Amino acid sequence: MTRTSQYVDAFWEPDFTSTRGYDILTKRNKDIRKVSKELEEYYKERVKAEQNYSKAIQTLVRKLEGKEELGDLGKALRELKLQTERIGRSHEEAANSFQMLYNELSKFNDEQKSLKQQVEERTKSSQNDKLQKYKACMSCKDKYISKCKEKEAAEEGFNQARQSVQITSKELGKAGKAKEKADEAQQQADANYRSSVQALEASRKLWEKEMEDACNNFQRLEEQRIDFFRDSVWKCTNVDSKACVDHDEGAEAVRTVLQYCDISKDLQEFIDNNKLSGKRPEPVVYEDYDRRPIQGAPSRTQTMRPPQPLPPMQHPRNPPPRPTDGPLISLDEELKPMGPGLTVGSQVNILKSYHAKGPSEFSVEIGQKVEYVREMKGGMTQVKVGDRCGLIPTACVRMGTTTYL
Protein backbone atom coordinates (compact mmCIF):
# COMPACT_ATOMS: atom_id res chain seq x y z
CA MET A 1 0.00 0.00 0.00
CA THR A 2 1.39 3.38 -1.03
CA ARG A 3 1.89 5.78 1.88
CA THR A 4 0.69 9.38 1.56
CA SER A 5 2.94 12.16 2.86
CA GLN A 6 0.90 15.20 1.76
CA TYR A 7 -2.17 16.60 3.49
CA VAL A 8 -3.70 17.50 0.14
CA ASP A 9 -3.83 13.81 -0.83
CA ALA A 10 -4.95 12.39 2.50
CA PHE A 11 -8.10 14.16 3.73
CA TRP A 12 -10.80 13.50 1.10
CA GLU A 13 -13.94 11.36 1.03
CA PRO A 14 -16.28 10.44 -1.85
CA ASP A 15 -19.31 11.74 0.05
CA PHE A 16 -19.96 15.24 -1.36
CA THR A 17 -21.37 16.51 1.93
CA SER A 18 -18.71 15.00 4.21
CA THR A 19 -16.52 17.37 6.26
CA ARG A 20 -14.42 14.76 8.06
CA GLY A 21 -11.14 15.81 6.42
CA TYR A 22 -11.63 19.43 7.40
CA ASP A 23 -12.72 18.41 10.92
CA ILE A 24 -9.58 16.30 11.41
CA LEU A 25 -7.31 19.19 10.40
CA THR A 26 -9.07 21.73 12.63
CA LYS A 27 -8.95 19.32 15.60
CA ARG A 28 -5.22 18.92 15.02
CA ASN A 29 -4.85 22.70 15.15
CA LYS A 30 -6.63 22.83 18.51
CA ASP A 31 -4.39 20.08 19.93
CA ILE A 32 -1.29 21.90 18.68
CA ARG A 33 -2.36 25.15 20.34
CA LYS A 34 -2.58 23.28 23.65
CA VAL A 35 0.98 21.96 23.27
CA SER A 36 2.21 25.43 22.31
CA LYS A 37 0.63 26.94 25.42
CA GLU A 38 2.23 24.24 27.60
CA LEU A 39 5.71 25.00 26.21
CA GLU A 40 5.08 28.74 26.68
CA GLU A 41 4.15 28.10 30.31
CA TYR A 42 7.28 25.97 30.77
CA TYR A 43 9.54 28.80 29.56
CA LYS A 44 7.65 31.34 31.68
CA GLU A 45 7.98 29.31 34.88
CA ARG A 46 11.61 28.44 34.06
CA VAL A 47 12.42 32.15 33.95
CA LYS A 48 11.02 32.56 37.48
CA ALA A 49 12.89 29.51 38.76
CA GLU A 50 16.25 30.66 37.35
CA GLN A 51 15.75 34.18 38.73
CA ASN A 52 14.85 32.88 42.19
CA TYR A 53 17.82 30.50 42.20
CA SER A 54 20.18 33.29 41.13
CA LYS A 55 18.91 35.56 43.92
CA ALA A 56 19.27 32.75 46.48
CA ILE A 57 22.87 32.11 45.36
CA GLN A 58 23.74 35.81 45.63
CA THR A 59 22.30 35.85 49.17
CA LEU A 60 24.49 32.87 50.11
CA VAL A 61 27.57 34.59 48.69
CA ARG A 62 27.04 37.66 50.87
CA LYS A 63 27.01 35.42 53.97
CA LEU A 64 30.27 33.66 53.04
CA GLU A 65 33.16 35.91 54.10
CA GLY A 66 35.99 33.65 55.35
CA LYS A 67 38.22 36.64 56.10
CA GLU A 68 39.63 35.04 59.25
CA GLU A 69 40.88 31.92 57.43
CA LEU A 70 44.58 31.91 56.49
CA GLY A 71 46.78 30.17 53.96
CA ASP A 72 45.66 28.05 51.05
CA LEU A 73 42.41 27.09 52.78
CA GLY A 74 41.56 30.79 53.02
CA LYS A 75 42.34 31.14 49.31
CA ALA A 76 40.06 28.17 48.62
CA LEU A 77 37.17 29.74 50.55
CA ARG A 78 37.60 33.03 48.72
CA GLU A 79 37.72 31.13 45.43
CA LEU A 80 34.53 29.29 46.45
CA LYS A 81 32.83 32.64 47.02
CA LEU A 82 34.06 33.96 43.68
CA GLN A 83 32.90 30.90 41.76
CA THR A 84 29.54 30.85 43.55
CA GLU A 85 29.00 34.44 42.41
CA ARG A 86 29.86 33.28 38.89
CA ILE A 87 27.30 30.47 39.13
CA GLY A 88 24.67 32.99 40.28
CA ARG A 89 25.41 35.18 37.26
CA SER A 90 25.21 32.11 35.03
CA HIS A 91 21.67 31.37 36.24
CA GLU A 92 20.75 35.01 35.77
CA GLU A 93 21.93 34.70 32.15
CA ALA A 94 19.92 31.48 31.87
CA ALA A 95 16.81 33.35 33.04
CA ASN A 96 17.38 35.97 30.32
CA SER A 97 17.83 33.21 27.71
CA PHE A 98 14.58 31.51 28.73
CA GLN A 99 12.81 34.89 28.61
CA MET A 100 13.99 35.29 25.00
CA LEU A 101 12.77 31.77 24.18
CA TYR A 102 9.40 32.59 25.74
CA ASN A 103 9.07 35.83 23.75
CA GLU A 104 10.00 34.10 20.48
CA LEU A 105 7.58 31.22 21.09
CA SER A 106 4.74 33.54 22.11
CA LYS A 107 5.17 35.64 18.97
CA PHE A 108 5.40 32.54 16.76
CA ASN A 109 2.26 31.00 18.31
CA ASP A 110 0.28 34.23 17.79
CA GLU A 111 1.30 34.37 14.11
CA GLN A 112 0.42 30.71 13.59
CA LYS A 113 -2.93 31.15 15.30
CA SER A 114 -3.82 34.14 13.10
CA LEU A 115 -2.85 32.34 9.87
CA LYS A 116 -4.72 29.17 10.80
CA GLN A 117 -7.85 31.14 11.70
CA GLN A 118 -7.79 32.83 8.28
CA VAL A 119 -7.44 29.46 6.53
CA GLU A 120 -10.22 27.92 8.64
CA GLU A 121 -12.63 30.81 8.04
CA ARG A 122 -12.03 30.84 4.28
CA THR A 123 -12.37 27.06 3.96
CA LYS A 124 -15.42 26.92 6.21
CA SER A 125 -17.12 29.70 4.22
CA SER A 126 -16.67 27.85 0.92
CA GLN A 127 -17.78 24.63 2.60
CA ASN A 128 -20.99 26.22 3.92
CA ASP A 129 -21.67 27.75 0.50
CA LYS A 130 -21.22 24.34 -1.10
CA LEU A 131 -23.64 22.70 1.34
CA GLN A 132 -26.27 25.43 0.83
CA LYS A 133 -26.06 25.15 -2.94
CA TYR A 134 -26.20 21.38 -2.64
CA LYS A 135 -29.45 21.60 -0.67
CA ALA A 136 -30.90 24.12 -3.18
CA CYS A 137 -29.86 21.88 -6.07
CA MET A 138 -31.49 18.82 -4.50
CA SER A 139 -34.67 20.85 -3.95
CA CYS A 140 -34.69 21.95 -7.60
CA LYS A 141 -34.07 18.38 -8.68
CA ASP A 142 -37.01 17.10 -6.62
CA LYS A 143 -39.23 19.85 -8.06
CA TYR A 144 -38.03 19.07 -11.59
CA ILE A 145 -38.85 15.37 -11.17
CA SER A 146 -42.28 16.27 -9.76
CA LYS A 147 -43.06 18.57 -12.71
CA CYS A 148 -41.93 15.89 -15.17
CA LYS A 149 -44.35 13.45 -13.60
CA GLU A 150 -47.16 16.04 -13.73
CA LYS A 151 -46.39 16.67 -17.41
CA GLU A 152 -46.58 12.94 -18.17
CA ALA A 153 -49.91 12.70 -16.35
CA ALA A 154 -51.31 15.73 -18.25
CA GLU A 155 -50.20 14.33 -21.61
CA GLU A 156 -51.74 10.97 -20.85
CA GLY A 157 -55.05 12.64 -19.81
CA PHE A 158 -55.10 14.76 -22.96
CA ASN A 159 -54.48 11.74 -25.21
CA GLN A 160 -57.24 9.76 -23.52
CA ALA A 161 -59.69 12.69 -23.83
CA ARG A 162 -58.89 13.14 -27.52
CA GLN A 163 -59.58 9.48 -28.23
CA SER A 164 -62.83 9.44 -26.31
CA VAL A 165 -66.02 9.76 -28.40
CA GLN A 166 -68.11 11.08 -25.53
CA ILE A 167 -65.93 14.05 -24.53
CA THR A 168 -67.05 17.52 -25.51
CA SER A 169 -64.93 20.11 -27.23
CA LYS A 170 -64.91 22.19 -24.08
CA GLU A 171 -63.52 19.35 -21.96
CA LEU A 172 -60.96 18.59 -24.65
CA GLY A 173 -59.82 22.22 -24.65
CA LYS A 174 -59.54 22.14 -20.89
CA ALA A 175 -57.36 19.02 -21.04
CA GLY A 176 -55.17 20.66 -23.68
CA LYS A 177 -54.62 23.74 -21.53
CA ALA A 178 -53.67 21.54 -18.56
CA LYS A 179 -51.17 19.72 -20.78
CA GLU A 180 -49.65 23.00 -21.96
CA LYS A 181 -49.45 24.35 -18.43
CA ALA A 182 -47.75 21.18 -17.15
CA ASP A 183 -45.32 21.33 -20.04
CA GLU A 184 -44.38 24.94 -19.23
CA ALA A 185 -43.94 24.09 -15.53
CA GLN A 186 -41.74 21.15 -16.45
CA GLN A 187 -39.56 23.30 -18.70
CA GLN A 188 -39.21 25.97 -15.97
CA ALA A 189 -38.27 23.33 -13.38
CA ASP A 190 -35.78 21.84 -15.81
CA ALA A 191 -34.16 25.27 -16.33
CA ASN A 192 -34.01 25.89 -12.58
CA TYR A 193 -32.50 22.46 -11.98
CA ARG A 194 -29.84 22.97 -14.66
CA SER A 195 -28.98 26.39 -13.23
CA SER A 196 -28.77 24.94 -9.73
CA VAL A 197 -26.45 22.14 -10.90
CA GLN A 198 -24.17 24.66 -12.58
CA ALA A 199 -24.06 26.82 -9.45
CA LEU A 200 -23.37 23.76 -7.29
CA GLU A 201 -20.56 22.62 -9.58
CA ALA A 202 -18.99 26.08 -9.43
CA SER A 203 -19.27 26.00 -5.64
CA ARG A 204 -17.77 22.50 -5.55
CA LYS A 205 -14.79 23.62 -7.60
CA LEU A 206 -14.30 26.63 -5.33
CA TRP A 207 -14.59 24.47 -2.21
CA GLU A 208 -12.19 21.91 -3.63
CA LYS A 209 -9.65 24.65 -4.37
CA GLU A 210 -10.10 26.15 -0.91
CA MET A 211 -9.72 22.70 0.66
CA GLU A 212 -6.53 22.09 -1.31
CA ASP A 213 -5.19 25.46 -0.21
CA ALA A 214 -6.18 24.69 3.38
CA CYS A 215 -4.39 21.35 3.31
CA ASN A 216 -1.26 22.92 1.85
CA ASN A 217 -1.36 25.83 4.32
CA PHE A 218 -1.98 23.57 7.31
CA GLN A 219 0.90 21.32 6.28
CA ARG A 220 3.22 24.29 5.70
CA LEU A 221 2.31 25.78 9.09
CA GLU A 222 2.83 22.40 10.75
CA GLU A 223 6.25 22.05 9.14
CA GLN A 224 7.17 25.54 10.36
CA ARG A 225 5.90 24.72 13.85
CA ILE A 226 7.87 21.48 14.11
CA ASP A 227 11.02 23.21 12.84
CA PHE A 228 10.56 26.13 15.28
CA PHE A 229 9.80 23.88 18.26
CA ARG A 230 12.81 21.67 17.46
CA ASP A 231 15.11 24.70 17.35
CA SER A 232 13.57 26.22 20.49
CA VAL A 233 13.88 23.06 22.60
CA TRP A 234 17.45 22.59 21.30
CA LYS A 235 18.31 26.10 22.55
CA CYS A 236 16.67 25.21 25.87
CA THR A 237 19.01 22.22 26.31
CA ASN A 238 21.99 24.40 25.36
CA VAL A 239 21.09 26.79 28.19
CA ASP A 240 21.00 23.86 30.62
CA SER A 241 24.33 22.53 29.31
CA LYS A 242 26.01 25.93 29.69
CA ALA A 243 24.79 26.21 33.29
CA CYS A 244 26.21 22.74 34.03
CA VAL A 245 29.53 23.65 32.40
CA ASP A 246 29.71 26.84 34.47
CA HIS A 247 29.01 24.77 37.60
CA ASP A 248 31.75 22.29 36.74
CA GLU A 249 34.30 24.99 35.88
CA GLY A 250 33.59 26.77 39.16
CA ALA A 251 34.00 23.54 41.15
CA GLU A 252 37.24 22.72 39.32
CA ALA A 253 38.62 26.20 40.09
CA VAL A 254 38.00 25.61 43.81
CA ARG A 255 39.54 22.11 43.63
CA THR A 256 42.61 23.58 41.92
CA VAL A 257 43.21 25.82 44.94
CA LEU A 258 42.36 23.11 47.48
CA GLN A 259 44.86 20.59 46.08
CA TYR A 260 47.73 22.84 47.26
CA CYS A 261 46.29 23.14 50.76
CA ASP A 262 48.90 21.80 53.26
CA ILE A 263 47.84 21.53 56.90
CA SER A 264 51.39 22.00 58.20
CA LYS A 265 51.96 24.99 55.93
CA ASP A 266 48.77 26.73 57.03
CA LEU A 267 49.53 26.06 60.69
CA GLN A 268 53.07 27.41 60.27
CA GLU A 269 51.74 30.56 58.60
CA PHE A 270 49.46 31.20 61.56
CA ILE A 271 52.33 30.57 63.99
CA ASP A 272 54.70 32.87 62.10
CA ASN A 273 52.14 35.69 62.11
CA ASN A 274 51.13 35.33 65.78
CA LYS A 275 53.97 33.63 67.70
CA LEU A 276 55.22 35.07 71.02
CA SER A 277 58.53 34.66 72.81
CA GLY A 278 58.11 30.95 73.29
CA LYS A 279 59.26 31.06 76.95
CA ARG A 280 57.13 29.09 79.37
CA PRO A 281 56.05 30.43 82.78
CA GLU A 282 58.27 29.78 85.82
CA PRO A 283 57.11 26.96 88.14
CA VAL A 284 55.02 28.14 91.06
CA VAL A 285 56.76 27.34 94.38
CA TYR A 286 55.82 27.71 98.02
CA GLU A 287 57.59 30.59 99.74
CA ASP A 288 57.97 30.23 103.52
CA TYR A 289 57.67 33.58 105.14
CA ASP A 290 60.17 32.70 107.81
CA ARG A 291 62.68 31.62 105.20
CA ARG A 292 62.11 34.48 102.83
CA PRO A 293 65.32 35.73 101.20
CA ILE A 294 67.16 38.68 102.61
CA GLN A 295 66.60 41.90 100.66
CA GLY A 296 69.19 42.24 98.00
CA ALA A 297 69.95 38.46 97.92
CA PRO A 298 68.86 36.33 94.97
CA SER A 299 65.49 34.62 95.39
CA ARG A 300 65.12 30.83 95.80
CA THR A 301 62.95 30.76 92.73
CA GLN A 302 65.69 32.24 90.64
CA THR A 303 68.34 29.87 92.04
CA MET A 304 66.32 26.63 92.04
CA ARG A 305 65.33 26.35 88.34
CA PRO A 306 67.98 26.49 85.66
CA PRO A 307 67.04 28.10 82.31
CA GLN A 308 65.24 25.70 79.99
CA PRO A 309 66.04 25.54 76.24
CA LEU A 310 63.27 26.04 73.66
CA PRO A 311 61.87 22.79 72.22
CA PRO A 312 63.19 21.99 68.74
CA MET A 313 61.07 23.09 65.75
CA GLN A 314 59.23 20.28 64.07
CA HIS A 315 59.69 20.23 60.34
CA PRO A 316 56.38 20.21 58.47
CA ARG A 317 55.64 17.05 56.56
CA ASN A 318 55.13 17.55 52.82
CA PRO A 319 51.88 16.01 51.57
CA PRO A 320 52.08 13.18 49.03
CA PRO A 321 51.14 13.99 45.43
CA ARG A 322 47.41 14.37 44.83
CA PRO A 323 45.79 11.51 42.86
CA THR A 324 44.42 12.62 39.52
CA ASP A 325 41.83 9.86 39.44
CA GLY A 326 39.86 7.99 42.07
CA PRO A 327 38.75 9.06 45.56
CA LEU A 328 40.81 11.49 47.65
CA ILE A 329 42.86 9.87 50.44
CA SER A 330 43.25 11.61 53.79
CA LEU A 331 46.68 13.05 54.48
CA ASP A 332 46.34 11.89 58.10
CA GLU A 333 46.60 8.17 57.23
CA GLU A 334 49.63 6.48 58.82
CA LEU A 335 52.63 5.91 56.53
CA LYS A 336 54.07 2.42 56.78
CA PRO A 337 57.66 1.68 55.69
CA MET A 338 58.06 -0.79 52.85
CA GLY A 339 61.62 -1.79 53.53
CA PRO A 340 65.07 -0.47 54.28
CA GLY A 341 66.04 2.59 52.27
CA LEU A 342 62.68 2.82 50.51
CA THR A 343 61.35 6.40 50.30
CA VAL A 344 58.72 8.32 48.36
CA GLY A 345 59.64 8.25 44.67
CA SER A 346 61.63 4.96 44.80
CA GLN A 347 61.20 2.63 41.83
CA VAL A 348 59.86 -0.86 42.68
CA ASN A 349 59.25 -3.92 40.52
CA ILE A 350 55.87 -5.64 40.39
CA LEU A 351 56.15 -9.25 41.64
CA LYS A 352 52.53 -10.23 41.09
CA SER A 353 49.94 -9.20 38.51
CA TYR A 354 46.77 -7.46 39.67
CA HIS A 355 43.57 -6.32 37.92
CA ALA A 356 41.99 -3.09 39.22
CA LYS A 357 38.64 -3.50 40.97
CA GLY A 358 37.75 0.16 41.32
CA PRO A 359 38.48 3.67 39.90
CA SER A 360 41.14 4.31 42.62
CA GLU A 361 43.19 1.16 41.82
CA PHE A 362 45.74 0.29 39.14
CA SER A 363 46.09 -2.82 36.97
CA VAL A 364 49.75 -3.99 36.96
CA GLU A 365 51.77 -6.80 35.37
CA ILE A 366 54.77 -8.82 36.60
CA GLY A 367 58.05 -6.99 35.95
CA GLN A 368 56.41 -3.58 35.54
CA LYS A 369 58.17 -0.70 37.31
CA VAL A 370 56.17 1.79 39.34
CA GLU A 371 57.03 4.71 41.64
CA TYR A 372 56.45 4.06 45.35
CA VAL A 373 54.43 6.72 47.24
CA ARG A 374 53.39 5.13 50.54
CA GLU A 375 51.87 2.07 52.14
CA MET A 376 48.22 2.35 53.17
CA LYS A 377 46.07 0.57 55.72
CA GLY A 378 44.18 -2.55 54.66
CA GLY A 379 47.06 -4.19 52.78
CA MET A 380 47.22 -1.62 49.96
CA THR A 381 50.14 0.46 48.70
CA GLN A 382 49.85 3.77 46.85
CA VAL A 383 52.06 3.97 43.76
CA LYS A 384 52.43 6.38 40.85
CA VAL A 385 52.46 5.53 37.14
CA GLY A 386 53.10 8.50 34.90
CA ASP A 387 50.99 11.43 36.19
CA ARG A 388 48.45 9.27 38.00
CA CYS A 389 48.40 7.84 41.54
CA GLY A 390 46.53 4.70 42.48
CA LEU A 391 46.38 1.69 44.78
CA ILE A 392 47.66 -1.89 44.37
CA PRO A 393 47.90 -4.74 46.92
CA THR A 394 51.08 -4.60 49.01
CA ALA A 395 51.67 -8.26 48.12
CA CYS A 396 52.35 -7.20 44.51
CA VAL A 397 55.58 -5.42 45.59
CA ARG A 398 56.43 -7.27 48.85
CA MET A 399 57.22 -10.94 49.47
CA GLY A 400 57.40 -11.81 53.18
CA THR A 401 59.46 -9.09 54.83
CA THR A 402 61.62 -8.42 51.78
CA THR A 403 61.00 -5.58 49.34
CA TYR A 404 62.37 -6.15 45.81
CA LEU A 405 63.67 -3.15 43.94
Side-chain angles (χ1 to χ4, degrees):
M1 182 178 179
T2 303
R3 299 181 64 183
T4 301
S5 60
Q6 299 295 322
Y7 282 13
V8 74
D9 299 324
F11 299 104
W12 301 93
E13 277 197 322
D15 184 0
F16 186 74
T17 61
S18 175
T19 61
R20 285 189 59 194
Y22 175 79
D23 295 339
I24 291 173
L25 292 176
T26 53
K27 182 180 182 302
R28 174 61 177 168
N29 290 336
K30 292 180 181 179
D31 295 340
I32 289 171
R33 283 197 290 270
K34 181 181 178 182
V35 175
S36 300
K37 287 295 182 182
E38 290 174 354
L39 188 57
E40 270 191 57
E41 189 67 19
Y42 171 82
Y43 286 156
K44 182 179 180 181
E45 294 300 320
R46 189 66 185 272
V47 170
K48 295 180 182 178
E50 295 292 343
Q51 289 176 341
N52 292 337
Y53 186 73
S54 176
K55 292 178 181 178
I57 288 292
Q58 298 297 337
T59 301
L60 287 176
V61 168
R62 287 193 292 270
K63 295 179 180 179
L64 181 63
E65 293 293 339
K67 294 180 179 179
E68 293 77 10
E69 189 59 64
L70 303 175
D72 291 328
L73 184 56
K75 294 179 182 178
L77 290 177
R78 288 187 287 275
E79 185 67 24
L80 176 61
K81 179 179 179 179
L82 178 65
Q83 295 302 327
T84 305
E85 289 178 347
R86 179 170 173 263
I87 290 173
R89 290 193 300 271
S90 176
H91 282 277
E92 186 176 355
E93 293 174 359
N96 295 333
S97 297
F98 280 114
Q99 183 66 51
M100 291 177 60
L101 291 176
Y102 170 80
N103 294 337
E104 291 175 356
L105 179 59
S106 179
K107 180 180 179 181
F108 177 81
N109 287 338
D110 290 341
E111 292 175 352
Q112 287 255 312
K113 181 179 179 181
S114 176
L115 292 173
K116 288 179 180 179
Q117 284 180 344
Q118 293 177 13
V119 174
E120 289 180 5
E121 290 174 359
R122 188 167 60 247
T123 308
K124 190 172 183 179
S125 175
S126 64
Q127 186 167 272
N128 292 336
D129 182 67
K130 176 197 69 170
L131 293 176
Q132 291 177 359
K133 286 185 168 56
Y134 177 79
K135 292 179 180 179
C137 181
M138 293 301 100
S139 176
C140 290
K141 181 180 180 180
D142 293 340
K143 188 174 182 180
Y144 165 70
I145 293 174
S146 176
K147 294 301 180 181
C148 287
K149 291 180 178 179
E150 291 179 1
K151 175 186 176 182
E152 290 177 350
E155 287 179 348
E156 184 177 356
F158 175 74
N159 292 332
Q160 290 179 355
R162 188 173 56 180
Q163 294 174 1
S164 175
V165 295
Q166 298 179 352
I167 193 170
T168 62
S169 59
K170 184 177 180 180
E171 292 176 346
L172 183 60
K174 187 178 180 180
K177 290 181 179 181
K179 173 180 171 299
E180 292 176 358
K181 186 177 180 180
D183 186 53
E184 291 176 359
Q186 184 270 341
Q187 291 179 2
Q188 183 63 40
D190 179 70
N192 292 337
Y193 177 45
R194 288 178 182 273
S195 176
S196 177
V197 169
Q198 292 174 356
L200 178 59
E201 178 60 15
S203 179
R204 185 197 66 79
K205 290 180 179 180
L206 177 61
W207 166 79
E208 186 173 329
K209 182 180 181 303
E210 292 293 344
M211 185 63 180
E212 288 179 355
D213 292 341
C215 290
N216 291 329
N217 287 325
F218 285 145
Q219 181 166 346
R220 177 178 54 82
L221 293 172
E222 182 69 355
E223 290 171 352
Q224 292 177 356
R225 184 193 69 84
I226 294 174
D227 181 67
F228 183 88
F229 274 38
R230 175 180 177 274
D231 181 68
S232 181
V233 176
W234 189 283
K235 291 178 181 177
C236 171
T237 58
N238 286 343
V239 174
D240 287 333
S241 295
K242 183 180 182 302
C244 291
V245 170
D246 290 341
H247 273 260
D248 185 68
E249 290 178 351
E252 183 61 26
V254 177
R255 288 194 294 266
T256 301
V257 178
L258 280 176
Q259 69 179 345
Y260 297 107
C261 180
D262 184 350
I263 298 176
S264 299
K265 180 182 175 183
D266 285 3
L267 291 177
Q268 189 62 49
E269 180 178 348
F270 174 76
I271 291 172
D272 292 342
N273 293 334
N274 300 276
K275 67 181 180 180
L276 302 177
S277 65
K279 294 182 179 181
R280 301 185 182 185
E282 296 283 346
V284 179
V285 297
Y286 170 75
E287 296 183 0
D288 191 343
Y289 179 79
D290 295 332
R291 297 182 180 181
R292 65 188 183 278
I294 300 174
Q295 186 176 5
S299 66
R300 292 180 60 188
T301 304
Q302 294 175 342
T303 59
M304 289 180 63
R305 186 175 186 273
Q308 299 293 323
L310 289 174
M313 292 289 290
Q314 295 183 356
H315 297 286
R317 175 170 56 85
N318 293 326
R322 179 177 178 269
T324 58
D325 191 14
L328 294 176
I329 302 172
S330 172
L331 298 179
D332 296 331
E333 293 189 26
E334 179 183 358
L335 294 178
K336 299 181 180 179
M338 283 289 293
L342 189 60
T343 61
V344 175
S346 298
Q347 296 290 322
V348 295
N349 292 331
I350 300 302
L351 305 178
K352 182 179 178 182
S353 299
Y354 178 72
H355 182 70
K357 299 180 180 179
S360 62
E361 298 182 356
F362 275 152
S363 296
V364 293
E365 301 293 339
I366 295 177
Q368 180 181 350
K369 286 189 176 183
V370 297
E371 184 178 336
Y372 168 76
V373 178
R374 59 176 174 173
E375 187 175 359
M376 311 296 293
K377 293 180 180 180
M380 302 299 286
T381 295
Q382 187 179 24
V383 296
K384 186 176 181 181
V385 178
D387 296 331
R388 293 186 56 203
C389 288
L391 301 177
I392 62 174
T394 304
C396 291
V397 293
R398 170 187 287 180
M399 186 174 293
T401 59
T402 304
T403 301
Y404 291 86
L405 302 178

